[in-house]
Amino acid sequence: PHPPLTPFPPALLQDIRNTVGNIPMEWYQDFPHIGYNLEGKKIYKPIRNKDELDMFLEKMENPDYWRTVQDKMTGADIKLTDEQVDLVHRLQKGQFGDVHFNPYEPAVDFFTHEVMIHPVTNRPADKRSFIPSLIEKEKVSKLVHAIKMGWIKPRKPKDDTPTYYDLWAHEDPNSILGRHKMHVPAPKMKLPGHEESYNPPPEYLLSEEEKLAWEQQEPAERKLNFVPQQYQCLRAVPAYSRFIHERFERCLDLYLCPRQRKMRVNVDPEDLIPKLPKPRDLQPFPTTQALVYRGHTSLVRCLSISPSGQWLVSGSDDCTVRFWEVCTARCMKTLPVGGVVKSIAWNPNPTICLVAICVEQSVLLVNPCLGDKLLYGATDQLLESYVAPEEERVQPVQWETATMEEHSKGVRLVVQHSKAVKQVTWHGKGDYFASVVSDNSNMQVLIHQSSKRWSQNPFRKSKGLVQRVLFHPTRPYFFVATQRYVRVYNLLKQELTKKLMTNCKWVSSMAIHPGGDNIICGSYDSKLAWFDLDLSTRPYQLLRHHKKALRGVAFHKHYPLFASGSDDGTVIVCHGMVYNDLLQNPLLVPVKVLKGHVITLDLGVLDVLFHPTQPWVFSSGADSTIRLYT
Amino acid sequence: RRLCILKGIYPHEPKHKKKVNKGSTAPRTFYLLKDIKFLLHEPIVNKFREYKVFVRKLRKAYGKSEWSTVDRLKDNKPTYKLDHIVKERYPTFIDALRDLDDALSMCFLFSTFPRTGKCHVQTIQLCRRLAVEFLNYIIASRSLRKVFLSIKGIYYQAEVFGQPITWITPYTFAHDHPTDVDYRVMATFTEFYTTLLGFVNFRLYQSLNLLYPPKIDGQTDAELKPAEGKEYAMDSESYLEKLSALSASLARVVAPTHEDEVEMDEFPVEGETAEQMDTRKKEQEALEKHKKLFEGLRFFLNREVPREPLAFIIRCFGGQVSWEKSLCIGATYDVNDPSITHQIVDRPRVEKQVVGRYYLQPQWVFDSVNAKLCLPIADYFPGVLLPPHLSPFVTEQEGDYVPPEKLKLLAMQRGENPDEESEEEDEEAEEAEDDNDKEEEEEEEDESEKEEEMKLKKMEEEKTQSNKVLPVKVTAGKLRLEDKQRLEQEQQSEEKRLAIMMMKKREKYLYKKIMFGKKRKVREANKLAAKRKAHDTAVKEERKKSKKARRA
């Protein structure tokens, strides 16, 4: 019974109902018409030329303005009738639209709580309401069966023990299992230091660059996992944002970190230092630099000293050999040899005055003509007394007598090798000498006899690049150092007696104790190996005193001293006491570090040499000087 | 994983890593086979399985909307207990106490979590209850020793049965929950820890003859009861609140007698000299004194002060404490109570001051506890720049850097009073405005530092010696003297160096490592000292400048 919501004013006779249907009228916003009537003609929008002012005026003047509504479908203004306004009011109040509708009609009870004597319906009761239900029976039997089978259990009795009780009421020691003894308890959290305080002393606060460094570090390698901060008072302290993180990390540590008992080394570092005899008690040994021999213009590669200890000879890269007087540092003689001097060796026999010099492919035997005239005269005579054998033997080298010109300089014999010669060394008797040729064949080592001008090649096979060779001072042994091993040959039996492992990468130098039972090897990997030949083929001790490659090692003839020179410009003198008692191991004590040489071209000390009688040590360096330490 | 956490199984580092890992050196974690077998024997494994089945059934029932089944299942929800695991992991009570650190920290953290998401509300409530119970025990036994306000939270250290127990509580702010944290792991830990803490609490309460669960002492209880009923609907909740107020003492099973006051009999231990006895006795006395630090003092906490930690600390040392009624229940007296001796204030200015009480900043309480004596209050007035708060956990060893404040504190503990002297001197210096005086003062502060520096110098000399240029002196005689000493020193150091050269490789490595560690320590100490000095001079300059400005 609702009245039509948009009644047309009766004044309009023609039917202008719009046929566009239920569409949003905005679609016609931009068109002059707003739809079509029943005949299909356009319905035009009423011409609206009212502006704001007109609207206002109308609002002021028209008493029915409040009840004028625009019909969206037609665009026409409609004045609502009284009934319509009434309806709107009622709807606004939430009342029923129909005035005559009574929502509070008296209720009619169909059923009452009072039991009536007659049934409500007249239908007779079913049979099934009088017999037991089959479905229920089935259900019950199922349940009974389930109970019988133990599928349904009676409700568990409530556990009424208190949640907390005295768990450790009776502690029995038996309950401590092996597990607990093996158990590694988790370490406790580190206790906070001053820097974690909310108001730390000012020195614990990080400066700007420290803060920057802290930020750039990986979170794992930071020393503190927070930035120390200072707050003026307690109320200014904010919450720590990583608190949960830290607790979580602790949890992870507790159950994911492998635990291990770590034995902390608890030693006094001073106890680690071995107790050695004081160097003062081990005197004499060279302590200070006494003399500097200047004259060479390039690296001084090699040194040698006369058996009397009066003369020193040095070979250098400036193609000269110089003879010096030891006590005065005076250069007695300069011998230009026309090539780099690789090695030099003074004949150890005091009755022969002869120096072997390696120059390129030849070994020169030079009579320096220094000292006792009788002595060097005798040497010359000895050399001249040589008589060539009848039959010419095949030799690996050529022996030549020096020319007149050379003779005047002092050169007596020239041993021409096929390749460049690296090293020359004399036998203790002063007749034989050995030379090392830089070659890969079996011709690397040659042994020469100066009196017979005769050479031989002792080895049939090459066993690697030979670095050094050495004669045993008293017995017929011959030491050959290759890169990693030192082989000891018996010259009489012509066999290999020993092979020493040096444990170094590249042996550079070798020296033998005058007693003949100990040798030392210096190596380019800055190690010095001391061998006791009686003990084993491995080093008795490996000393790592130098910081750079060792170039030269030397033993003293009489004093228990040995020295090593290295590229770091130092000469280290060690006390190396060898006891006659075979049961007592040698005693090695470093006694002095001698400095003085200037490092040039990354080379420091190239050769070291002891004075035959005095506890003095000579060293030749890359700074083209020779220094004497006394 | 959960089992590992509960049973405390941790991986081991194998002796031969390569062998175990079949030749590869990739990092892997290894558990002992024995441990894993041990885990399999655990009865709780079956319980877990049951629970899993229960969850599955429940889900199914929900899916089929069989509500009766759901009810039945929920009724028969399987439960498990961790009691036996606790007992197994900690066969003795002392063992349990030793491992209580993490448990406490975790409980305190969980008790501050919000009641939504992340973890079960029951867990949070349980944690809160246990934490409060533990705090109450600490108060009752007065076993708190050290407190420390760090930027992370508040550290407490208590001594229970001779075991130091340290825990940290976060500041009471809302947590911003990080996303990269696995809360399930934490919850598993907490599950175990709550069980452990509950049993420990029970035992602790028993040891003090206190009722467990704790009851507030009779008469106060009766007074508080009616007031509570109106404000709080739930009785249990209000009860916990009251307990957490920490203001009331706890009921005892046996009424406290004077047993505690009885002097302990002294049993002289054989082989212990009289001196040792004396020191022990002294320590005992100091401890007793420390326990009664705030005895007889009445504190009032202002609104802006963190109530719980302060109330806890003050009560631990025998003080009485109250706060505003609107802040929390359990306030015992009012602001206007004339008997209040200290009021803790954390704001720059106090509007109306009552005569007869000290207004102090909260740091005073913490510092006093750590110093084991009531510190002079002058430094802690509201609005004053506070002295640095030092960590009580640091014990300086020989050669470590000691901040000057700590030195002052130590002196104060010994009974001297360097504070006044230095202050006086300070004033004098200011009056005179003489640089020399200031230096003197500085010297006084840095005496020990200087000693250290001397030591360091010596060490360094030993290290670098020889190459050093001799200091040029005018008098010849003196120079020679120096020379001799120097020579000797040089010789010694050279000997040492030569000896070091002869060390074996392994020993040398060790030696170098140790020496490196020592040097680093020295370096750090030096750095701190230098920083402090720079800071002090800067401050002094500032002061001077401001003074000049004031004069001009």
Side-chain angles (χ1 to χ4, degrees):
Chain A
H2 288 258
L5 268 175
T6 52
F8 298 100
L12 273 160
L13 282 176
Q14 63 198 118
D15 191 14
I16 52 157
R17 256 179 292 175
N18 205 338
T19 56
V20 290
N22 189 17
I23 54 157
M25 292 314 288
E26 289 89 59
W27 291 356
Y28 284 94
Q29 226 169 25
D30 297 338
F31 297 99
H33 62 281
I34 52 168
Y36 304 91
N37 62 10
L38 283 177
E39 282 111 54
K41 298 254 175 71
K42 283 178 180 171
I43 305 173
Y44 289 95
K45 282 178 188 169
I47 299 144
R48 284 190 179 272
N49 45 8
K50 290 182 193 166
D51 54 0
E52 290 288 317
L53 192 64
D54 290 332
M55 295 275 273
F56 180 72
L57 283 176
E58 197 182 333
K59 192 177 176 182
M60 288 285 103
E61 286 164 4
N62 194 353
D64 290 337
Y65 179 79
W66 59 274
R67 57 165 68 181
T68 313
V69 177
Q70 193 193 356
D71 184 5
K72 268 191 188 155
M73 293 296 271
T74 56
D77 286 348
I78 302 162
K79 199 192 278 173
L80 299 182
T81 56
D82 280 350
E83 291 96 73
Q84 283 166 344
V85 171
D86 208 26
L87 177 71
V88 170
H89 279 308
R90 254 182 291 126
L91 286 178
Q92 274 177 344
K93 281 181 190 165
Q95 289 167 345
F96 287 97
D98 192 359
V99 192
H100 310 292
F101 181 73
N102 183 12
Y104 307 111
E105 301 220 350
V108 180
D109 283 346
F110 288 97
F111 305 100
T112 65
H113 62 281
E114 291 155 16
V115 180
M116 291 188 279
I117 53 166
H118 299 293
V120 178
T121 59
N122 211 7
R123 195 166 147 265
D126 281 329
K127 185 190 173 186
R128 64 164 179 267
S129 60
F130 297 106
I131 55 170
S133 160
L134 276 177
I135 299 168
E136 275 178 12
K137 188 187 164 196
E138 206 172 323
K139 271 187 183 169
V140 170
S141 65
K142 260 187 187 170
L143 284 176
V144 168
H145 182 63
I147 290 170
K148 271 185 187 167
M149 297 300 282
W151 296 334
I152 297 179
K153 281 176 197 132
R155 196 164 286 142
K156 274 181 217 155
K158 276 271 184 252
D159 197 10
D160 54 350
T161 51
T163 27
Y164 299 121
Y165 50 92
D166 196 354
L167 192 65
W168 295 279
H170 14 259
E171 294 170 356
D172 56 331
N174 294 336
S175 65
I176 299 173
L177 307 171
R179 290 191 62 74
H180 295 110
K181 284 170 196 152
M182 285 297 294
H183 178 73
V184 184
K188 299 204 167 187
M189 291 280 271
K190 217 180 127 214
L191 289 172
H194 295 314
E195 61 274 4
E196 209 182 306
S197 166
Y198 84 103
N199 185 10
E203 62 268 32
Y204 286 101
L205 295 172
L206 296 184
S207 63
E208 284 302 315
E209 54 257 39
E210 278 170 334
K211 214 176 268 178
L212 208 67
W214 186 89
E215 270 157 20
Q216 277 165 355
Q217 269 176 333
E218 286 286 312
E221 60 188 31
R222 284 172 187 163
K223 221 167 171 197
L224 298 172
N225 53 5
F226 57 92
V227 182
Q229 270 164 323
Q230 191 170 28
Y231 299 100
Q232 289 304 326
C233 49
L234 190 59
R235 69 169 185 279
V237 183
Y240 184 59
S241 59
R242 290 189 54 82
F243 193 88
I244 295 176
H245 268 286
E246 275 185 8
R247 290 318 313 172
F248 179 60
E249 270 158 29
R250 173 69 179 168
C251 287
L252 288 188
D253 282 353
L254 280 179
Y255 91 103
L256 283 182
C257 261
R259 296 188 201 163
Q260 195 180 23
R261 276 182 208 282
K262 263 223 160 121
M263 298 301 288
R264 262 195 95 76
V265 191
N266 199 4
V267 284
D268 187 17
E270 301 302 320
D271 291 347
L272 287 175
I273 299 173
K275 293 277 169 287
L276 293 174
K278 291 212 162 166
R280 217 175 301 156
D281 308 335
L282 301 176
Q283 271 168 346
F285 55 83
T287 51
T288 48
Q289 179 178 306
L291 289 172
V292 181
Y293 303 80
R294 292 181 203 276
H296 280 294
T297 53
S298 185
L299 336 171
V300 186
R301 278 209 186 270
C302 45
L303 285 176
S304 188
I305 195 159
S306 71
S308 60
Q310 196 180 357
W311 314 105
L312 179 74
V313 60
S314 63
S316 159
D317 269 11
D318 57 1
C319 306
T320 57
V321 172
R322 279 172 191 264
F323 294 87
W324 314 83
E325 195 176 16
V326 168
C327 303
T328 56
R330 184 172 157 217
C331 181
M332 303 301 289
K333 207 170 166 185
T334 307
L335 180 67
V337 288
V340 172
V341 184
K342 284 277 178 61
S343 171
I344 203 160
W346 202 298
N347 197 323
N349 191 343
T351 57
I352 301 171
C353 188
L354 209 58
V355 180
I357 302 165
C358 287
V359 180
E360 284 169 354
Q361 297 195 1
S362 55
V363 174
L364 311 180
L365 293 183
V366 176
N367 188 347
C369 304
L370 289 171
D372 198 351
K373 201 162 193 178
L374 277 175
L375 211 66
Y376 64 78
T379 311
D380 274 349
Q381 276 175 4
L382 192 75
L383 288 177
E384 276 157 18
S385 66
Y386 167 72
V387 185
E390 289 87 47
E391 43 181 311
E392 198 63 25
R393 281 193 289 183
V394 183
Q395 288 194 13
V397 293
Q398 280 183 317
W399 290 77
E400 293 165 5
T401 39
T403 56
M404 281 309 285
E405 190 186 343
E406 282 171 340
H407 194 279
S408 64
K409 282 188 198 162
V411 181
R412 296 294 179 262
L413 283 172
V414 180
V415 187
Q416 278 290 353
H417 290 66
S418 53
K419 296 258 172 63
V421 186
K422 267 203 293 201
Q423 195 220 336
V424 63
T425 181
W426 286 96
H427 185 254
K429 292 271 165 49
D431 192 15
Y432 288 93
F433 68 92
S435 64
V436 181
V437 176
S438 48
D439 190 2
N440 269 331
S441 67
N442 59 342
M443 299 269 283
Q444 281 187 85
V445 181
L446 298 169
I447 295 180
H448 316 273
Q449 193 177 7
S450 59
S451 58
K452 292 193 181 149
R453 302 192 183 177
W454 181 71
S455 310
Q456 57 177 340
N457 175 17
F459 301 121
R460 227 169 294 134
K461 250 186 348 193
S462 127
K463 289 270 171 64
L465 213 57
V466 176
Q467 300 297 315
R468 284 280 153 154
V469 293
L470 207 60
F471 285 102
H472 193 281
T474 49
R475 295 165 68 190
Y477 285 122
F478 188 57
F479 298 88
V480 178
T482 55
Q483 272 183 25
R484 312 194 58 163
Y485 305 104
V486 177
R487 291 186 172 79
V488 187
Y489 295 94
N490 191 330
L491 289 176
L492 280 185
K493 289 186 192 161
Q494 305 220 327
E495 62 177 17
L496 178 73
T497 49
K498 240 173 211 169
K499 186 175 163 192
L500 308 177
M501 329 288 185
T502 56
N503 289 358
C504 313
K505 291 275 157 54
W506 196 312
V507 172
S508 66
S509 49
M510 179 167 61
I512 187 156
H513 190 265
D517 276 343
N518 296 284
I519 64 171
I520 50 174
C521 279
S523 80
Y524 287 118
D525 48 351
S526 61
K527 288 182 204 161
L528 190 141
W530 172 287
F531 291 96
D532 197 330
L533 293 183
D534 299 330
L535 216 60
S536 81
T537 58
R538 300 209 165 261
Y540 161 65
Q541 221 164 24
L542 207 57
L543 308 176
R544 294 179 189 78
H545 295 170
H546 285 287
K547 291 188 182 64
K548 282 188 179 169
L550 267 80
R551 293 267 166 190
V553 288
F555 262 115
H556 198 277
K557 277 253 167 58
H558 305 294
Y559 293 106
L561 289 175
F562 64 93
S564 55
S566 146
D567 275 351
D568 56 7
T570 59
V571 175
I572 293 180
V573 182
C574 299
H575 178 87
M577 191 65 182
V578 177
Y579 299 97
N580 287 330
D581 181 8
L582 280 176
L583 291 174
Q584 206 166 1
N585 283 329
L587 170 76
L588 308 184
V589 183
V591 288
K592 189 70 189 169
V593 180
L594 298 168
K595 289 173 188 157
H597 280 288
V598 184
I599 297 168
T600 40
L601 304 169
D602 278 343
L603 296 174
V605 180
L606 295 178
D607 201 4
V608 287
L609 183 72
F610 272 106
H611 192 273
T613 52
Q614 300 292 330
W616 298 347
V617 68
F618 298 93
S619 67
S620 68
D623 55 349
S624 62
T625 58
I626 303 163
R627 283 159 203 268
L628 169 66
Y629 302 94
T630 56
Chain B
R1 194 177 63 183
R2 200 163 146 210
L3 214 55
C4 280
I5 293 173
L6 291 177
K7 297 280 281 179
I9 301 294
Y10 46 87
H12 283 260
E13 193 70 18
K15 267 181 192 158
H16 302 285
K17 204 164 186 184
K18 228 171 171 181
K19 211 183 199 174
V20 176
N21 213 354
K22 290 177 186 118
S24 87
T25 49
R28 284 177 66 190
T29 49
F30 297 97
Y31 289 90
L32 288 182
L33 196 65
K34 223 161 131 194
D35 282 348
I36 301 297
K37 277 182 183 160
F38 174 70
L39 281 186
L40 294 180
H41 285 304
E42 181 55 44
I44 210 163
V45 177
N46 278 330
K47 293 277 172 69
F48 282 157
R49 213 163 277 150
E50 262 171 37
Y51 193 82
K52 209 168 68 183
V53 171
F54 159 75
V55 169
R56 214 156 48 202
K57 277 182 184 166
L58 198 66
R59 203 183 301 133
K60 199 168 162 191
Y62 265 118
K64 291 181 173 178
S65 31
E66 293 170 347
W67 304 121
S68 60
T69 323
V70 169
D71 282 347
R72 186 169 52 80
L73 284 172
K74 274 190 175 167
D75 215 30
N76 285 341
K77 184 178 175 182
T79 54
Y80 55 87
K81 285 189 155 186
L82 301 173
D83 308 3
H84 62 284
I85 294 182
V86 172
K87 175 82 182 178
E88 187 187 72
R89 273 179 71 172
Y90 307 108
T92 60
F93 181 55
I94 297 297
D95 287 339
L97 281 182
R98 222 172 274 155
D99 251 18
L100 210 58
D101 285 14
D102 294 309
L104 279 171
S105 302
M106 206 62 160
C107 275
F108 275 101
L109 171 64
F110 263 68
S111 61
T112 57
F113 274 177
R115 305 280 157 105
T116 52
K118 301 298 175 201
C119 54
H120 296 295
V121 180
Q122 290 96 323
T123 321
I124 296 170
Q125 278 170 349
L126 182 65
C127 279
R128 176 73 188 152
R129 210 190 91 203
L130 291 172
V132 167
E133 280 172 10
F134 185 76
L135 291 187
N136 271 314
Y137 165 76
I138 296 289
I139 291 176
S141 65
R142 297 211 179 164
S143 46
L144 192 71
R145 293 287 171 271
K146 289 166 180 175
V147 280
F148 178 50
L149 291 167
S150 94
I151 53 173
K152 293 180 181 175
I154 307 175
Y155 287 88
Y156 301 92
Q157 191 172 49
E159 204 178 289
V160 182
F161 288 89
Q163 297 290 334
I165 296 175
T166 317
W167 72 95
I168 177 172
T169 62
Y171 289 113
T172 49
F173 290 105
H175 296 280
D176 46 342
H177 285 281
T179 49
D180 52 345
V181 163
D182 190 353
Y183 279 93
R184 281 176 307 169
V185 171
M186 300 240 287
T188 315
F189 267 103
T190 314
E191 195 182 354
F192 177 73
Y193 284 153
T194 47
T195 320
L196 169 66
L197 195 58
F199 284 116
V200 168
N201 275 349
F202 187 90
R203 175 80 187 223
L204 289 175
Y205 273 77
Q206 213 185 31
S207 71
L208 275 191
N209 279 340
L210 293 172
L211 283 175
Y212 189 90
K215 292 257 163 30
I216 290 171
D217 224 1
Q219 69 253 21
T220 46
D221 202 27
E223 279 171 28
L224 286 169
K225 203 79 193 180
E228 296 318 314
K230 290 172 212 160
E231 286 166 41
Y232 292 93
M234 280 171 70
D235 204 32
S236 61
E237 214 170 88
S238 80
Y239 175 68
L240 184 62
E241 292 269 331
K242 238 182 321 177
L243 204 59
S244 63
L246 301 172
S247 63
S249 56
L250 300 173
R252 288 175 189 257
V253 180
V254 185
T257 52
H258 289 282
E259 258 180 326
D260 301 345
E261 257 74 317
V262 171
E263 278 280 302
M264 267 214 297
D265 288 343
E266 284 168 14
F267 298 103
V269 184
E270 266 183 65
E272 205 175 47
T273 56
E275 274 179 36
Q276 277 173 320
M277 286 271 286
D278 258 14
T279 52
R280 220 170 48 157
K281 211 169 163 188
K282 244 177 219 171
E283 268 173 31
Q284 201 80 20
E285 270 168 25
L287 193 66
E288 285 302 315
K289 211 174 149 197
H290 187 203
K291 275 183 186 175
K292 290 176 183 164
L293 182 63
F294 296 143
E295 199 85 74
L297 303 182
R298 281 167 84 83
F299 289 84
F300 188 84
L301 306 181
N302 249 22
R303 222 157 13 101
E304 68 278 3
V305 177
R307 188 195 64 82
E308 198 179 298
L310 274 167
F312 169 59
I313 293 164
I314 293 167
R315 293 253 305 136
C316 266
F317 293 96
Q320 279 178 303
V321 66
S322 180
W323 46 85
E324 264 171 58
K325 253 202 186 110
S326 56
L327 186 65
C328 183
I329 64 166
T332 44
Y333 45 88
D334 205 26
V335 205
N336 303 320
D337 196 326
S339 61
I340 292 171
T341 53
H342 294 73
Q343 185 164 354
I344 310 294
V345 175
D346 196 4
R347 50 178 87 178
R349 235 155 19 92
V350 184
E351 252 77 67
K352 45 172 187 180
Q353 295 202 344
V354 179
V355 181
R357 65 176 78 162
Y358 298 120
Y359 287 85
L360 293 172
Q361 295 211 35
Q363 198 190 319
W364 180 80
V365 176
F366 292 89
D367 279 351
S368 300
V369 167
N370 291 339
K372 299 182 180 171
L373 47 92
C374 286
L375 290 174
I377 48 174
D379 297 337
Y380 298 95
F381 284 144
V384 165
L385 195 67
L386 289 168
H389 181 58
L390 297 173
S391 166
F393 300 113
V394 181
T395 46
E396 275 86 1
Q397 272 144 11
E398 189 76 20
D400 283 351
Y401 171 72
V402 187
E405 286 85 6
K406 179 105 183 183
L407 291 175
K408 226 187 247 179
L409 198 79
L410 287 175
M412 225 185 283
Q413 275 172 357
R414 265 180 266 129
E416 300 157 24
N417 200 352
D419 207 37
E420 283 179 13
E421 288 169 33
S422 72
E423 250 173 46
E424 274 172 25
E425 239 175 70
D426 212 33
E427 276 166 27
E428 274 174 33
E430 275 171 21
E431 277 168 24
E433 287 222 8
D434 199 3
D435 282 355
N436 292 343
D437 273 17
K438 290 200 177 178
E439 270 170 33
E440 268 177 25
E441 186 202 344
E442 235 166 62
E443 266 174 12
E444 210 183 53
E445 277 184 2
D446 299 347
E447 259 178 329
S448 72
E449 278 171 40
K450 267 200 180 157
E451 268 175 42
E452 269 170 46
E453 271 169 38
M454 283 292 285
K455 236 180 267 165
L456 301 182
K457 259 185 199 166
K458 229 184 203 172
M459 276 181 78
E460 251 158 56
E461 267 173 36
E462 279 173 10
K463 276 175 245 149
T464 53
Q465 46 94 51
S466 67
N467 297 7
K468 265 190 188 168
V469 185
L470 280 173
V472 182
K473 295 244 169 145
V474 188
T475 47
K478 224 176 182 178
L479 183 71
R480 195 172 287 161
L481 198 73
E482 278 252 324
D483 224 350
K484 227 178 207 171
Q485 276 180 352
R486 194 174 187 84
L487 265 177
E488 203 156 297
Q489 219 176 54
E490 250 173 52
Q491 206 163 16
Q492 271 177 5
S493 68
E494 188 172 353
E495 270 169 28
K496 200 170 154 193
R497 256 185 317 137
L498 290 172
I500 287 170
M501 282 203 317
M502 276 309 283
M503 272 202 268
K504 276 178 196 139
K505 201 172 170 188
R506 190 185 293 170
E507 283 175 358
K508 202 191 250 174
Y509 176 72
L510 186 65
Y511 178 82
K512 273 188 181 158
K513 223 167 148 185
I514 294 173
M515 287 320 265
F516 177 77
K518 273 190 178 174
K519 268 186 223 165
R520 189 175 52 193
K521 224 177 195 176
V522 167
R523 210 164 50 223
E524 267 163 20
N526 273 358
K527 201 169 152 195
L528 285 177
K531 246 174 155 182
R532 177 70 187 210
K533 212 164 200 177
H535 176 84
D536 281 352
T537 48
V539 165
K540 220 157 258 176
E541 287 285 305
E542 197 107 309
R543 211 190 288 166
K544 217 173 184 182
K545 236 179 238 169
S546 68
K547 189 160 264 184
K548 262 183 195 162
R550 235 185 294 151
R551 284 202 183 166

